[in-house]
Amino acid sequence: MTERRREVRRAIFPAAGLGTRFLPVTKAQPKEMLPLVDKPTIQYGVEEAIASGLEQVIMVIGGGKRAVVDHFDRSREIELYLEQRDKRDLLEILAGVDRLSDQLDILYVQQKDPLGLGHAVWTARRLVEGEPCAVLLADDVILGGPPCLRQLMDVYARTGATVLAVRRVPADQVSRYGVIDPGPSQGRLHEVRDLVEKPQPGRAPSDLAILGRYVLTPEVFRALDRTEPGAGSEIQLTDGIRGALETGRVVALEFEGDYYDTGTIPGYLKANLAMALKRPDLREEMLGVIREFMEAPEPLRESATGPV
Ligand code: UTP
């Protein structure tokens, strides 16, 4: 007899990290609020959760993340200012952000110390107890195709397993990621036998890297309950998933969609450029800028380019 599966209704957004790779900008500004052109990365995540049909987003935040809360709240001051000047197009942009929190509930829990991604997810345990839940890392922006979380939720509905989003990455980059040791595969769906966090070069079990989307079963939370951080070290989410492998099934989906890693400076800059080139109002101007840079003699001289 098959056990009746509970629906995935909630997503945890761990957003309590310190974003040290982006210092100094992240000294007093959450990394999740850094924009791709003019929209903060975390807003892309909330839009994906809505498009996936989720009912609740639980943001795990730490000190200094007030701007995230404010972003999804209403700003009457800016509204009033724009109303007085009849700036309807800008008012519509604000209204678009307001509507997000009408379409699902946004809850906040506090991770008091940044003890790792596994700990951040575990911090939200009481709000998801006994239910499967999605996890989205706002750094990983995935656009195009069916919403990535929805793709994982559909796999969960078919399998009842913990589901990881994976993508093949070049061999020289695997040691930056958690990597799966795949078992039998059916097309883009792989059984997971084991996972390794940041394998040594040449020692990765595959080129299938785990990216920032998951559906976790309650077994992962039970495994995280038992995981202790070592002195000064962090609780990894992969430890919780490895624990869940002992009692349950874990699968990995090679998802469809365009993936942007905005968690590193080169990845962030590339994502901004890609997004700007997709915008009809910016495309031509940006192509002109790129051409100008390409044609400029090395080293690039300010006088050759003028102010951008
Ligand atoms: P990262 O390691 O990519 O983010 O964590 P970070 O720690 O903020 O960045 P750096 O390495 O210092 O530059 C992946 C995700 O997990 C969250 C982060 O906010 C990010 O979304 N996280 C990480 C937490 O919520 N709590 C933690 O203790 C650690």
Side-chain angles (χ1 to χ4, degrees), residues 148-167:
C148 187
L149 282 183
R150 182 75 249 170
Q151 295 177 49
L152 302 196
M153 288 156 66
D154 290 345
V155 171
Y156 170 77
R158 292 205 312 273
T159 61
T162 286
V163 191
L164 317 177
V166 291
R167 176 146 287 195

Side-chain angles (χ1 to χ4, degrees), residues 36-77:
L36 292 187
V37 183
D38 51 11
K39 195 196 283 188
T41 55
I42 199 154
Q43 186 175 332
Y44 289 93
V46 171
E47 289 171 357
E48 182 182 322
I50 292 169
S52 301
L54 289 159
E55 295 171 18
Q56 236 177 47
V57 160
I58 302 161
M59 301 222 181
V60 182
I61 55 174
K65 300 279 180 167
R66 187 73 228 168
V68 173
V69 183
D70 288 343
H71 181 70
F72 293 103
D73 198 357
R74 205 166 160 184
S75 172
R76 291 182 188 279
E77 192 185 343

Side-chain angles (χ1 to χ4, degrees), residues 14-21 31-32 111 114-117 120 137 139:
L18 299 179
T20 52
R21 276 171 286 186
K31 175 173 73 168
E32 297 75 15
Q111 185 192 23
L115 295 177
L117 174 58
L137 306 187
D139 275 3

